[in-house]
Amino acid sequence: MTQQIAHFIGGQHAAGGSTRTQDVTNPATGKVTGKVALAAQADVDAAVAAAQAAFPKWADTPPIRRARVMFKFLELLNLHKDELAHMITAEHGKVFTDAQGEVSRGIDIVEFACGIPQLLKGDFTDQVSTGIDNWTLRQPLGVVAGITPFNFPVMVPMWMFPVAIAAGNTFVLKPSPTDPTPSLRMAELLKEAGLPDGVFNVVQGDKVAVDALLEHPDVKAISFVGSTPIANYIYETGARNGKRVQALGGAKNHMVVMPDADIDQTVDALIGAGYGSAGERCMAISVAVLVGDVADKIIPKLVERTKTLKVLDGENLAAEMGPIVTRAAHERITGYIAQGEKEGAKLLVDGRGFDGAMAGQGCGDGFWMGGTLFDHVTPEMRIYKEEIFGPVLSCVRVANFKDAVDLVNGHEFGNGVSCFTRDGNVAREFGRRIQVGMVGINVPIPVPMAWHGFGGWKRSLFGDMHAYGEEGVRFYTKQKSIMQRWPESTPKGAEFVMPTAK
């Protein structure tokens, strides 16, 4: 029997009024495991109405009491983190240990949000003018929404809702219909933690639900993570409807390998960052920029390691890479590999022939692929320019450090980048010169910790503020400045000039 998956509105599971559904599939086996409801406009309206009704009381709840709910949620997440990880593996396909890591990184954000009383503190200036004091405070926006992707069904929503809720907002989450059940489990845990009904709601759905949120007058802000074309659409549509928008888009992350890099460490980093989670990460390394003669040292080792990747059912703890998330994604990635061959890149390892039956019992019909490795990729090729979002690593050879920096800076995306070197001056110059939002020096996937904030540059981010961290607090709050004077210190007579400090 297939599981029926629907919404969570006003503190209760809700079937919704739409008859449209989408299959939920285990990518390891190719079998349908559930059917998720796809919301109609009325379902979105119901979720927003529940959030709107809950907002005034929640916004007036002292921050320390909101933090205590987050502390309890944190405790429950730690108790149920393996349960959430198994849900991720069953619907996304990533290996269980990677799913555990995803949940742990989401928990980091909840820990950060527990500090909301400190994070909401304003500034105060005594006697800005004679008898006048001035201070600032930060207040919640109201109903805010998050639209999240398939590749991190626990972590990415937790980039958003813990900070938003702790700051006093109410939240509507529209997760990916590809792996929808973790969102409902998080809703249940929040309710168990004592979160009032209506403060957190989940609406499953597709573009109908997205557009309903973008156009709803009671939704004050939208957070999004996904591909650049959709991020651009979310940003433009949300802004046109008067909303604050934070839309994180696509990526083409490079790793620059200098001739002095530790070769074995670099190979480990490229294999893990290129093929971990089957390359379905917005921070995955998809381009190795090999400087000078380092290519001749590193390519043979990359070939060997790529050919021996342990591609297995994600529930197998020995697995290094699991299946591709959907059949459509598998076909898209396969098309990119064929395009790379056609354009003249040298295909060193071809992952298209991987037999799913080798991945585990019952896996013969899953969406399986091995790691793919290209050499002699050039900047005009589609496999270089476009985000593949799969286990395909492209090697580009350049003559020197300047050419490497120019190559990276010339790309339309600017999400993440890494440089492997032993030279401190090279590292310093790389960090200063590179036009990318998140930079790693001998760190292959430089995802910032919870208190720093996540976000790229160029066409990898639409909007002004990064996710989570202090910028996340600013995104989900508005600053108010208050000036105060009492009658005893107020001079007599009307003043017709611009007020100045006196």
Side-chain angles (χ1 to χ4, degrees), residues 401-458:
F401 177 70
K402 181 182 182 301
D403 289 348
V405 171
D406 289 345
L407 180 76
V408 176
N409 288 348
H411 205 284
E412 67 171 323
F413 296 130
N415 204 51
V417 69
S418 183
C419 178
F420 271 59
T421 182
R422 299 174 191 260
D423 189 319
N425 184 63
V426 165
R428 182 176 185 274
E429 285 299 297
F430 186 82
R432 294 185 69 245
R433 305 293 178 193
I434 211 72
Q435 296 171 16
V436 175
M438 292 170 284
V439 181
I441 304 299
N442 300 317
V443 175
I445 303 181
V447 177
M449 296 304 292
W451 49 95
H452 282 289
F454 181 104
W457 287 12
K458 297 186 282 190

Side-chain angles (χ1 to χ4, degrees), residues 308-330:
T308 56
L309 271 174
K310 296 176 183 176
V311 184
L312 299 167
D313 185 341
E315 290 291 346
N316 187 330
L317 295 182
E320 295 175 334
M321 191 176 97
I324 306 303
V325 66
T326 63
R327 191 178 304 280
H330 189 281

